[in-house]
Amino acid sequence: MQCPPPASAQSQRGAIGLAGGLLLLMALLFTALVVDSGRLWMQQKQLQSIADMSAIHASRYLGCQANLQNIVQMAQQAAVNNGYGGQLASNPNQVLLGRLDTVQGIRQFTADGSHQAIYVRATKEVAKSLVAGGLMGGTMLLRAEAVSVSDPPLAVFSVGSFTTSLSSQQSVLLNGLLGGMLGGPLNLDAVTYRGIAATKITLHDILAVSGQAGTLEDLLNTNMQIGDLLDLLASAAGQSGAANLQAVSAMQSIAAIAIKNVPIKLGDVLAVTTPDTNAAAAVALNALSMITTAAMIANGTNAISLPLTLNLASITNINAQVTVIEPPQLSVGPAAGSGNLCAIARTAQIRARVGVLVNIPLLARIDLALNTEVAQGSAGLRTIQQNDGVSEVEIDASPGIAALTLTNNAGTGPARVSTLLSIPIADIGLNLPIQPANAQTLQYSVANPVENHLPQMQSVSSPVGSSLENALSKSNALNVTILSVLNLGLVNNVISTLVSPLLAEIGRVLLDPLLNLLGIQVGGMDVTLEDLQYRQAKPLAM
């Protein structure tokens, strides 16, 4: 048998060409697969970025009576800015409001319409393959989902001075005010109060010393005795290092005199209007304003007798009282923008009464009580914006209306000048129209870092002016009605030499400093921006 001749080089050369062609085709197919896979991965990543940015941007508008339509618009705006051509409001895209829960360490979004978190689903239809489109054809739907927790910028503000420039005169009144409301004597000087007023504590500080394992929302809604709440504030200031030893000791002294067993909640003192309570954990709160507000809430509408010393002769009896009809409230929350205000702080509505009996030896007797009532004022956070590293904040302020009247000590009739035998000589009325101040928008400009430029205080007041002393000392402030021929020229002399200076002294010694302590002026009030907080560290949750 003969073996076949070996293959020629020509035939071998054809087999290698066929194998090379198959190898090249496989390389082209793998290249197409890599290109298409990379393209789809990049498009999916871009779509996920669009969903993330839309959720984060829209979350900054949650929390102040925001509606779903507005939130969808904000999410759509962010999506378009990042190159998205679809409509998030149209199926299969979706924007939902709800809450974020953690179950066994896994975060879950529940669409219940609340404003704690936002869910965004974005989709995009793309070709399955660009390289092999003619062979495969068709399209596929890419889908990306993102959840972001409520993340609006927050501000803490109060309507009340609570400044570090307290005078000795104000400290005496503050001792009487706090002591009367808490039920025990208090004797702190102005320097000590200044230290408390300069102390800043946070809700996180309070939660850390509360011994509770719950959330800030639980802390805000927990009932406790007023003394326990004040002691909690003192412990938070001490543990956080926010106050010096003298201020902490003074705060403990205030807590120790609180003998009234009155239940109170921290949420009554501080209104947190952001849906995600934890977002407010780091904002700074003024310790003195927290203490004073808590004491007013605990006291209710009980009248408080205040120490008052007037440097006028012939005054045989004097009685000064103040009643807090409505307590103040601090506020932390987001800006309203063009919508309705939701973060609102309020002043106290108070009624002050100073009654005096003046004897003019051998001549006359004056029975007089000056009554002052100031309605509750309010301030609401309108906008928070950042421009070139400066925070621009607008707060709408509406002061309460002040009313002044003169009566006798019993409150049954007008102030009266009579003889020592109780024969009426003249009645004295008050002619002091105090017009309400118009609502104003206060503008705060806070350079970054904000902690170095806060707090800032501004005042809003009516054209009447801010001092009762000046108003009461005006010659035309009093109306005098002659009742008897026994006048004998006494009335004009009594009014000019005694009554007018007496009223001016009451305004200077009691009313002006008392109202200033409460952030109230004649037809006006002080509005203090305490702190700003912009962003959570990780607003994107899923």
Side-chain angles (χ1 to χ4, degrees), residues 472-475 478 494-505:
L472 292 169
S473 62
K474 293 180 179 178
S475 59
L478 300 177
V494 167
I495 298 300
S496 61
T497 62
L498 188 59
V499 176
S500 292
L502 172 62
L503 294 179
E505 187 76 359

Side-chain angles (χ1 to χ4, degrees), residues 155-159 270 329-334 343-346 379-381 395-396 527-531:
V156 180
F157 59 103
S158 60
V159 278
L270 178 69
Q329 189 174 46
L330 312 176
S331 182
V332 53
I344 300 175
R346 293 179 173 86
L381 183 61
I395 296 179
D396 293 348
V527 181
T528 303
L529 179 64
E530 303 281 2
D531 194 21

Side-chain angles (χ1 to χ4, degrees), residues 473-492:
S473 62
K474 293 180 179 178
S475 59
N476 60 350
L478 300 177
N479 286 329
V480 180
T481 302
I482 304 299
L483 301 175
S484 171
V485 294
L486 296 175
N487 178 15
L488 302 177
L490 285 177
V491 174
N492 289 335

Side-chain angles (χ1 to χ4, degrees), residues 308-321:
L308 183 61
T309 302
L310 300 180
N311 296 321
L312 292 173
S314 304
I315 299 179
T316 58
N317 186 30
I318 183 167
N319 179 29
Q321 287 188 330

Side-chain angles (χ1 to χ4, degrees), residues 25 38 42 56 83 94 104 111 113 135 138 142 144 179 255 263 273 305-306 364 370 375 387 392 397 445 483 542:
L25 179 60
M42 289 295 295
I56 291 173
Q94 198 170 33
Q104 296 181 347
L135 297 176
L142 299 181
T273 55
S305 296
L306 293 179
L370 177 63
N387 297 315
E392 305 289 347
S445 183
L483 301 175
M542 297 173 59

Side-chain angles (χ1 to χ4, degrees), residues 50 62 75 89-90 144 183 195 223 241 265 413 455 501 517 523 537:
I50 289 171
L62 290 174
S90 302
N223 278 310
K265 293 185 293 186
L517 280 176

